[in-house]
Amino acid sequence: MNESMQEYRTILTNNPAKAEKQLYKLAKKGDLDALSALNDYYEKCVTEAKTPKELSKIRQKALKAALLGAAQNSPYWLIVVGEMYRYGVGTEKNEKKAFSYYEKAAALGDVDGIVKVGRAWLNGIGVPTDYHKALYFFEKAAEQDNPEAMILTAYQYENGKGVDVNFEKSLEWLSRAERSCRLRLEGELPETDRTYYESLLQDVDHKRMHCESAACVEMIRKEACPMEQRQKAFLRLSELAHEKGDWRAQVNMGILYEEGKFVEQDERKALEYYLMAAENGSTGAMNNIGNFYLHGKGVAKDYEKAFGWYQKAAELSGNAAAECSLGMCYQYGYGIKIDYEKARSFYELSAKQGLGLAYYRMGLLYEQGLGVAKDIRIAKQYFGEALHRGCREAALKL
């Protein structure tokens, strides 16, 4: 800590009310050390606030102070202000304003600002989602040896966001991120930075397992590949599922046994893998378990249990398939009383995430006039959208 920061903090300790005004005047003149000390003081006040009104007032002061740093074109304070607008700290939420501050920090060459802009394009924060722009900024930050950007680049290659799916490239980026983190951890770091890089390493490990799991499945499904390679991939997938506890590997093992295309079909074993994955938090596995209870696959039919699994998956993460399944339960009375209004509501939630089947089921409601006025024209619009999104059943309705 430099001498001025120590001096400012001492002043705050001795006479907070007077020091707050002094530090604000210094910050207004461009003294960023005074601004940092003032911000630390506001953070302390936040933890001591006794009422929501008092808390709100402190946060408004903190934003006002942070804006002084942003006005000095300090990348750090530009990002702080951006975060405050994004999450509504001391002000109303405003993602467009948040993005504008991230963009200013990025334009100054700040690597954290560049990553923030990339994340904004990736997740549609203040701007429309654009995977190509996201990848551009992540690769730009990666050139400055930023491991977080490397991990995000790996994510895009693994999931085909703006690029073709390429597990090999994804694994390469993850290896680069790991090397970068480990080099940093070899040096002297503040505890917060050390914790940050250690958390990134954990993220690398998880993503590497997920990526390797997907690569194994890709190899297993390539019938043109030598059987020896496919079997090796299957053994590795099994290892990831059992020894590493990777939920994606567990889900994929479940799918293989459910389909019976590479291994002998075994619905009970498939269910066991889905249950393992569900315990590790996979909402996709939870939806699959619901399907097993709904159709009596590997277990006796139990509509109430099916509904319960769908509901859990939807509540935990807004899983699109589970929301569509809940809509179906409400439409047909599977494990719950028929309620067309709730059915439509869940179909709409699922459709917003782009699930073709949800559009198809919305079309059925309008075709049959269930909970809505019967309207064949609107029904066909939904069927058309469903077909466009890969729901083949909709073709029979057009």
Side-chain angles (χ1 to χ4, degrees), residues 244-296:
K244 301 296 184 180
D246 179 54
W247 65 260
R248 186 169 297 186
Q250 291 162 351
V251 169
N252 284 321
M253 287 291 288
I255 291 171
L256 289 174
Y257 277 106
E258 183 181 357
E259 292 178 344
K261 290 184 178 179
F262 182 76
V263 292
E264 185 177 347
Q265 189 177 44
D266 190 328
E267 291 178 345
R268 286 184 177 274
K269 190 167 279 190
L271 181 59
E272 288 175 9
Y273 279 110
Y274 291 147
L275 286 167
M276 288 167 62
E279 286 180 8
N280 286 324
S282 169
T283 54
M286 294 172 194
N287 182 69
N288 291 352
I289 295 167
N291 291 339
F292 271 48
Y293 276 109
L294 184 73
H295 300 292

Side-chain angles (χ1 to χ4, degrees), residues 310-323:
Y310 295 145
Q311 189 174 48
K312 185 176 182 180
E315 288 177 350
L316 283 175
S317 69
N319 182 283
E323 288 173 342

